Structures are given as C-alpha cells and as structure tokens.
Amino acid sequence: DGGAELIGYVILLALKPITVERIKSGEIAFGRHILSTDLESAIDNTDAVYLSMIHGYDLIAQFDLGLATLQRLVSSHDKRRPQLILARRGTQEGGRGMRRLGFAPFGRAPSIQATFTDDPRFQLEIDRRAREAARLRTRKHP
C-alpha cells in the first residue's frame, strides 16, 4: 500500500541449538535442508542465525539490503549476545563479501561457513557499505 516498491529481500532463519549442532556435524549441508522444526521464533531469541539470501534488484538495493542486514544482526547481538551467523558459500563476489566479514568453514558442513556478530570486521563492512551506497546515490542522482 501507499506505493511502496519492493527493492529486494533478505532471508534470515533463527536456529535452534540442536540445528547448529546438526550443521556442525555435517548432517545439514545446505540451507535448503533446514526445516521449520529447526527454527526458533525470532532472531532476537537465538544464538545463531542462517543467512539464506540477500537479493537486491539493482546495485544500490544490493548495498542497502546488505547494510540493513548487517545492522539488523548487530542490533540482535546487542539484545542477546554475539550471535553465530551461518551461510552457504555462493558466487565468487558473495565469497569476497563473506571473507570481509570473517566467514570461515564451520565444523564438518561442506558448504556452510560461519562468523560472529562481534567480529570487528562487521563494523568495518557496515561503514564500507554505507559509504559505497552514498557514492552510488550521488552518481545516480547528481
């Protein structure tokens, strides 16, 4: 309503502790293996989340969504405690973004990597994305 336009979407799944153990053991290898029974009710109530997808429909949207996602994760960490973030390795470009945030292999899960919201690289990446989004906006709308 009100003429709002969807510019993209992010999927964050709040994980139960047993699900984290199943991922670490290699029983769950990809995000698509996570079932509704594996999920907590909200990311503010859990110690771990799975970042399933960030999809922006243009370059500015991609930066905005990535920035909003990182800010949401950090705010959840402030409410709870530093959270474990799990995600699947994706494209080469996505892999570079994951490395900037400190993602590394997690347990025996062959395709899932992990980082923590208290990694100082989170704030560096939030600042970098904010600067890049501002630069793109001024270039697009002089």
Side-chain angles (χ1 to χ4, degrees):
D1 286 348
E5 183 179 337
L6 180 67
I7 59 167
Y9 59 93
V10 177
I11 299 172
L12 287 171
L13 305 175
L15 303 179
K16 292 180 178 174
I18 188 66
T19 307
V20 175
E21 291 306 313
R22 289 175 55 218
I23 291 171
K24 194 171 189 177
S25 73
E27 182 183 340
I28 295 176
F30 297 99
R32 66 177 176 268
H33 297 148
I34 297 173
L35 306 174
S36 60
T37 52
D38 294 316
L39 303 179
E40 288 284 6
S41 59
I43 70 169
D44 293 332
N45 299 330
T46 185
D47 296 329
V49 297
Y50 187 89
L51 177 57
S52 179
M53 183 180 297
I54 300 179
H55 189 87
Y57 297 127
D58 63 28
L59 193 56
I60 291 175
Q62 289 173 32
F63 274 96
D64 283 345
L65 286 164
L67 178 59
T69 302
L70 296 181
Q71 289 171 329
R72 178 64 182 96
L73 290 168
V74 169
S75 75
S76 182
H77 148 185
D78 289 342
K79 292 175 185 175
R80 179 77 171 164
R81 62 178 61 112
Q83 287 178 312
L84 176 67
I85 312 289
L86 301 166
R88 186 178 68 82
R89 288 179 309 201
T91 63
Q92 186 174 0
E93 182 179 323
R96 283 196 298 270
M98 289 177 77
R99 281 192 297 279
R100 276 193 203 102
L101 290 166
F103 277 90
F106 183 72
R108 294 183 16 224
S111 300
I112 294 178
Q113 297 191 347
T115 190
F116 282 90
T117 50
D118 63 347
D119 190 313
R121 287 175 279 198
F122 257 74
Q123 190 58 52
L124 292 173
E125 185 64 5
I126 285 171
D127 296 342
R128 186 191 76 80
R129 284 181 177 270
R131 284 191 310 271
E132 188 62 23
R135 187 184 67 77
L136 286 169
R137 274 195 195 84
T138 50
R139 192 175 72 189
K140 189 171 182 176
H141 304 288

